[in-house]
Amino acid sequence: MRNSPVGHRGRGLLAAVLAVALLPLTLAPAAASAQHGPVLPSLKRNLVAYYDFGHPVRDKPGWEGDRGRSGTDIQLVNGGARMRAWDRDRGHVLQTRQNTPTAPGNDDWKAGVYGPDGVPTLHAFNGVRETTVMGWFKMTGENPSPNSGSAKPDDRYGAIGLAGVLSGTSQGHDVRALLELITVNGEMKVVALGRRVDGASSQTFAADADWKTLLPQDTWVFLAATFDYDDGTMALYRNGRAVPGFYTLTGDPWAVEGPPEPDAASPSDPRGIKIGGSYPQNTKEGNPCNCRMDDLMFLDRALTPGEVMAQYRRTR
C-alpha cells in the first residue's frame, strides 16, 4: 500500500527522536574527559606547581602560567613562545633543545624560574618532608648533547636535564628534588636525585634498565620520581609502574639516622625550578635535553604507587 503523507511525517519524527536519544552516547567520552580533568582529585591539594604548556601568561607569551596552587609562572628561556610546540599526540607541549653544540654559550632552550634569595611562591618546599616530580617526556633529538664548553669535539654532557626543584642555595644546578638522566658508573641512567640539606650530599636512585629502553626515541613516556626525606628513600616510575633500581651511595648521605625526628628538607625556599637543563637564570648552558615535555607536576607529597598509576592513566 502506498505510504500516506502522515506516514512520512511519522517516520521523520521517529528518526529525530532516535537521533536525540543517541546523542548523549556519542558525546559521552569527550564530556567525561572534560568533567574529570587532567589532575587526580587526591593530588590537587598537594599540587604546588603544574604546567601543561597551553596557558601562556597574559601579555607575556614567553612565560607559562602555573596551573597548580602556588602561582609560580615559569619562563620559556631563549625560545619564548616558539618553545610552545604543537604535538599531534598531546596538543601543546614544551620543546627544549641545544641550539649551538659547537660553541660555548647560553642559547639552549630550557624553562624555569630562578631567584637568588629563593622563590617565595615555592615556600611549600621549605622544610618539606616529601616531594614528587613527574610528567610526560619524549626524546626528539641527539641525547646526551655535545658539551659545548669542552675543547674536545667528542665530549658530551654527563647528564640530560628533565625537571626538578632547586635547593635553597642553588647556583641554578644543585637541586632538592630532580628527575633526570645522569652518568652512573660510566652508563647513562634515568634517575631520581635528591638533596635533603642545602649544600650537603645528594643521593641518587638509578634505574637498572638501559635508558634508551625506558625512553625510546620519539615516544611519549610518563616518568615520576618520589622523595621521602624522613626515611631517606626514593622511587622511580615509568608509565605508572615502579622501576627497579639501586642507590648509588651507601651509608646515610641525607643524615636521617638518629634524632631529631621527623627529618625534613632545609628550611629555605627553593631558588626555583629547572626544566630541560640547568641554570634557568640563563647564565650558561648545562645538560640540555633535546626533547618535548608535557603535564609537568611538582608536589609536596610522595605519591603512592596507586596514585602514580591513576595519574598516568588519566593523562595518557
Side-chain angles (χ1 to χ4, degrees), residues 182-271:
I182 66 171
T183 303
V184 177
N185 300 326
E187 295 182 61
M188 189 67 68
K189 294 287 186 181
V190 176
V191 306
L193 189 153
R195 177 178 285 102
R196 186 178 77 83
V197 178
D198 289 347
S201 176
S202 64
Q203 173 65 297
T204 301
F205 181 81
D208 289 332
D210 178 81
W211 78 271
K212 292 183 179 179
T213 300
L214 297 176
L215 281 167
Q217 192 77 358
D218 298 318
T219 302
W220 281 105
V221 175
F222 182 80
L223 295 178
T226 61
F227 306 80
D228 188 323
Y229 300 110
D230 188 26
D231 65 15
T233 60
M234 292 180 281
L236 278 171
Y237 299 85
R238 179 188 186 273
N239 289 347
R241 300 185 183 279
V243 175
F246 59 96
Y247 291 98
T248 62
L249 295 178
T250 58
D252 185 24
W254 282 357
V256 298
E257 295 178 1
E261 296 292 346
D263 296 292
S266 290
S268 60
D269 291 346
R271 286 191 173 178

Side-chain angles (χ1 to χ4, degrees), residues 87-219:
D87 187 273
R88 65 180 183 181
D89 296 317
R90 300 199 58 81
H92 285 106
V93 299
L94 175 71
Q95 178 73 59
T96 61
R97 72 187 190 202
Q98 183 184 50
N99 285 302
T100 314
T102 58
N106 58 335
D107 63 347
D108 54 318
W109 284 10
K110 55 198 169 192
V113 63
Y114 184 82
D117 298 318
V119 177
T121 54
L122 295 176
H123 186 74
F125 296 114
N126 182 318
V128 72
R129 290 174 58 180
E130 301 176 354
T131 304
T132 297
V133 178
M134 63 183 177
W136 287 89
F137 304 90
K138 180 167 75 168
M139 300 290 105
T140 59
E142 183 180 15
N143 289 298
S145 297
N147 189 340
S148 62
S150 173
K152 299 178 181 178
D154 296 330
D155 195 12
R156 295 184 176 275
Y157 286 104
I160 305 168
L162 295 181
V165 179
L166 299 179
S167 70
T169 57
S170 179
Q171 76 286 52
H173 178 71
D174 292 348
V175 292
R176 187 163 289 169
L178 176 68
L179 184 57
E180 192 172 53
L181 293 93
I182 66 171
T183 303
V184 177
N185 300 326
E187 295 182 61
M188 189 67 68
K189 294 287 186 181
V190 176
V191 306
L193 189 153
R195 177 178 285 102
R196 186 178 77 83
V197 178
D198 289 347
S201 176
S202 64
Q203 173 65 297
T204 301
F205 181 81
D208 289 332
D210 178 81
W211 78 271
K212 292 183 179 179
T213 300
L214 297 176
L215 281 167
Q217 192 77 358
D218 298 318
T219 302

Side-chain angles (χ1 to χ4, degrees), residues 259-308:
E261 296 292 346
D263 296 292
S266 290
S268 60
D269 291 346
R271 286 191 173 178
I273 289 174
K274 67 175 185 176
I275 297 168
S278 293
Y279 310 105
Q281 71 272 42
N282 206 26
T283 52
K284 66 176 182 177
E285 180 178 285
N287 304 326
C289 183
N290 293 297
C291 54
R292 288 185 169 186
M293 307 182 191
D294 191 26
D295 284 323
L296 298 185
M297 297 184 174
F298 303 84
L299 301 99
D300 60 359
R301 178 170 66 83
L303 302 190
T304 67
E307 287 175 318
V308 174

